[in-house]
């Protein structure tokens, strides 16, 4: 049975193709710095946005027309699995990601929820045997059900903490069963609304306790996936504890967790935190903590997490620049935590959206690699900091000086000569590279 009958395999046709159902820039076999695009970009489909979400918003019901809409309950869950593997194959994506509740409906008890999950997990496992697509990561949804209204591991109610622990335990078992390469923790409601009713220290201590328990249990069951924290500053909670990479890193270091986690960085979460996407990638990279990416984009005119498919080539280029400097994503990948707009309700929009996102990152990768090959920014930055390579600068970086010696040096200076940062010139060069994406430079 086919769910997307009128769509064939999506193939690379090159930048001159007029076929909307073809890749223009994503050529899985094209080599970038010794890796094929497929190996470097490691694209993943988000199960929740692509197969589970119905397109509801605070003002209206779902709009998505899906070929499995006539099913319900476990039949719907099974139909979605069938449709998803057909989609993965037609899109030629190597990975997918899911929350527990995306793939199987919650039952009236935890035991029944787990039973539902077991049925679907065994079905997914069967598909994985023959499919090329693998599981990049799974996670537990600990934010949608009303039980999480005050948080999960950071809830004031110990019963809720216990329930969260049970969900994570099951999530780790599912990840192991399906060969997940990563396991994600996004603290959807791990934060607070008002200090008037909050013991922030206990809440953060408890969050760290859950993470330690997860590390211990994964070790016990030999689940060797990389653990990822996904920072987000707000939404749904007003103040979220994993605000951004820097905040998350301080948390991990304080609680002796830094050796066990890396970050899953989402573009729209970065901008909600008042940073650029590349800023968050860079903070993670320079600290050896860049694990994976939730690839999407926000809307500068709207203040919330719009989770749009990434099409901004400037942003994908600067993101890929960081990823290439990181030597790739290792066990991580580029997961489209992105949804088609409410008005893009037809099944083929899912294909157009993924093609747009994959092509945008392919362009970004090609342009970023060219910038690196030509050392355009590298050489400029190198020169900009050259005063630290000799004389007093070298003494500073080698720790061979102190305030007294530096004062003596400064007193002897009669003129400080600064140089231009050349921001506008550099941006024009990046534009030149972007416009020449398929050129012969
Ligand atoms: C929410 C979000 C989540 C995580 C996984 O903003 O990004 O979907 O990626 O829980
Ligand atoms: Co995300």
């Amino acid at each position: 049975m086919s769910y997307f009958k009128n769509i064939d395999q999506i193939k690379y046709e090159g930048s001159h193709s007029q076929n909307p159902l073809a890749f223009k820039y994503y050529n899985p076999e094209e080599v970038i710095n010794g890796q094929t695009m497929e190996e470097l970009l490691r694209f993943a489909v988000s199960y929740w946005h692509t197969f589970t979400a119905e397109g509801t918003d605070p003002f209206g019901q779902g709009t998505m027309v899906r070929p499995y809409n006539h099913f319900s309950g476990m039949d719907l869950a099974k139909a979605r699995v069938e449709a998803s593997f057909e989609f993965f194959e037609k899109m030629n994506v190597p990975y997918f990601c899911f929350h527990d509740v995306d793939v199987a409906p919650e039952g009236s008890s935890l035991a029944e929820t787990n039973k539902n999950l077991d049925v679907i997990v065994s079905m997914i496992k069967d598909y994985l045997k023959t499919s090329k697509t693998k599981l990049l990561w799974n996670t537990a949804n600990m934010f949608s059900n009303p039980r999480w209204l005050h948080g999960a591991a950071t809830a004031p109610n110990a019963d809720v903490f216990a329930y969260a622990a049970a969900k994570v335990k099951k999530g780790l078992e599912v990840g192991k069963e399906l060969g997940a390469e990563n396991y994600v923790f996004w603290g959807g409601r791990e934060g607070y609304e008002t200090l008037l009713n909050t013991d922030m220290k206990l809440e953060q201590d408890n969050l760290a306790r859950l993470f330690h328990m997860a590390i211990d249990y994964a070790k016990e069951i030999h689940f060797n996936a990389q653990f990822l924290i996904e920072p987000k500053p707000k939404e749904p909670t007003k103040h979220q504890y994993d605000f951004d990479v820097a905040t998350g890193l301080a948390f991990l270091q304080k609680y002796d967790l830094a050796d066990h986690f890396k970050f899953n960085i989402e573009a729209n979460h970065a901008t909600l935190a008042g940073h650029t996407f590349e800023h968050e990638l860079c903070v993670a990279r320079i600290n050896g903590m860049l694990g994976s990416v939730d690839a999407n984009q926000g809307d500068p005119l709207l203040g919330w997490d719009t989770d749009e498919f990434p099409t901004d080539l400037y942003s994908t280029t600067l993101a890929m620049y960081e990823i290439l400097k990181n030597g790739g994503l290792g066990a991580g990948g580029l997961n489209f935590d992105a949804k088609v707009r409410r008005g893009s309700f037809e099944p083929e929009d899912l294909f157009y959206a993924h093609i747009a996102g994959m092509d945008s990152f392919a362009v970004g990768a090609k342009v970023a690699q060219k910038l690196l090959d030509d050392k355009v920014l590298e050489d400029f930055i190198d020169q900009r900091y050259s005063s630290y390579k000799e004389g007093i600068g070298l003494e500073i970086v080698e720790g061979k000086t102190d305030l007294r010696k530096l004062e003596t040096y400064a007193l002897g200076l009669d003129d400080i000569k600064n140089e231009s940062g050349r921001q506008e010139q550099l941006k024009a060069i990046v534009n030149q590279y972007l416009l020449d994406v398929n050129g012969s430079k």
Side-chain angles (χ1 to χ4, degrees), residues 243-290:
F243 187 95
D244 59 2
V245 173
T247 312
L249 184 56
F251 175 90
L252 293 174
Q253 285 167 344
K254 172 177 174 186
Y255 290 102
D256 205 15
L257 289 160
D259 291 343
H260 303 279
F261 285 85
K262 285 191 176 177
F263 289 99
N264 182 36
I265 294 165
E266 177 163 330
N268 206 163
H269 295 182
T271 49
L272 279 179
H275 303 305
T276 58
F277 183 18
E278 61 271 20
H279 166 94
E280 286 294 81
L281 292 167
C282 183
V283 176
R285 174 178 68 74
I286 63 177
N287 287 289
M289 300 290 275
L290 175 46

Side-chain angles (χ1 to χ4, degrees), residues 78-378:
K78 288 176 189 169
R80 281 181 177 141
V81 173
E82 291 168 1
S84 72
F85 277 89
E86 183 184 335
F87 184 83
F88 303 151
E89 232 154 81
K90 289 190 165 164
M91 279 309 308
N92 189 25
V93 278
Y95 290 101
F96 73 113
C97 303
F98 67 83
H99 301 81
D100 44 9
V101 305
D102 307 331
V103 294
E106 286 191 271
S108 52
S109 65
L110 180 59
E112 196 183 317
T113 300
N114 286 347
K115 226 173 84 194
N116 289 348
L117 194 54
D118 287 341
V119 172
I120 301 299
V121 164
S122 98
M123 186 176 171
I124 293 176
K125 197 175 174 183
D126 278 344
Y127 270 96
L128 289 175
K129 282 182 195 145
T130 51
S131 169
K132 155 190 165 166
T133 305
K134 295 183 279 185
L135 183 57
L136 185 67
W137 52 261
N138 65 309
T139 184
N141 175 323
M142 306 202 289
F143 44 89
S144 295
N145 190 289
R147 86 175 63 84
W148 314 115
L149 85 177
H150 293 310
T154 63
N157 180 344
D159 284 354
V160 175
F161 184 100
Y163 206 105
K167 292 276 276 178
V168 169
K169 175 176 177 288
K170 185 71 182 168
L172 297 172
E173 290 161 2
V174 165
K176 158 106 182 155
E177 184 74 6
L178 298 180
E181 298 188 22
N182 305 266
Y183 187 86
V184 162
F185 294 87
W186 171 59
R189 292 187 196 271
E190 310 294 32
Y192 73 95
E193 295 293 326
T194 171
L195 281 180
L196 295 177
N197 64 14
T198 302
D199 182 342
M200 196 201 284
K201 179 164 188 317
L202 179 64
E203 291 202 359
Q204 294 201 358
D205 289 352
N206 282 347
L207 185 57
R209 288 186 179 105
L210 184 74
F211 289 157
H212 275 291
M213 289 178 204
I215 292 164
D216 292 346
Y217 190 66
K219 207 165 153 195
E220 191 186 319
I221 64 170
H222 304 289
F223 177 40
N224 301 320
Q226 173 171 268
F227 275 14
L228 300 169
I229 300 248
E230 184 177 323
K232 187 175 183 182
K234 57 188 168 199
E235 206 198 314
T237 315
K238 184 158 49 170
H239 303 270
Q240 259 164 232
Y241 293 135
D242 304 328
F243 187 95
D244 59 2
V245 173
T247 312
L249 184 56
F251 175 90
L252 293 174
Q253 285 167 344
K254 172 177 174 186
Y255 290 102
D256 205 15
L257 289 160
D259 291 343
H260 303 279
F261 285 85
K262 285 191 176 177
F263 289 99
N264 182 36
I265 294 165
E266 177 163 330
N268 206 163
H269 295 182
T271 49
L272 279 179
H275 303 305
T276 58
F277 183 18
E278 61 271 20
H279 166 94
E280 286 294 81
L281 292 167
C282 183
V283 176
R285 174 178 68 74
I286 63 177
N287 287 289
M289 300 290 275
L290 175 46
S292 199
V293 171
D294 269 6
N296 62 12
Q297 69 185 29
D299 185 323
L301 301 183
L302 304 172
W304 60 91
D305 196 11
T306 59
D307 283 347
E308 294 173 25
F309 273 85
T311 51
D312 176 347
L313 301 180
Y314 210 85
S315 171
T316 59
T317 298
L318 297 185
M320 284 312 302
Y321 193 83
E322 287 300 325
I323 291 167
L324 287 163
K325 275 184 78 97
N326 193 58
L329 287 167
L334 290 170
N335 167 46
F336 291 113
D337 192 350
K339 59 185 174 204
V340 288
R341 298 303 88 190
R342 211 173 127 73
S344 308
F345 54 87
E346 294 179 339
E348 47 264 56
D349 288 307
L350 295 173
F351 289 87
Y352 296 137
H354 283 85
I355 291 169
M358 290 162 83
D359 271 342
S360 299
F361 268 90
V363 169
K366 286 167 77 143
V367 176
Q369 185 58 47
K370 250 195 241 176
L371 286 166
L372 283 164
D373 287 344
D374 295 353
K375 291 183 179 290
V376 180
L377 306 175
E378 302 288 275

Side-chain angles (χ1 to χ4, degrees), residues 390-401:
E390 58 186 13
I392 195 70
L394 191 60
E395 284 180 40
I396 292 170
V397 297
E398 289 186 341
K400 289 183 178 153
T401 187

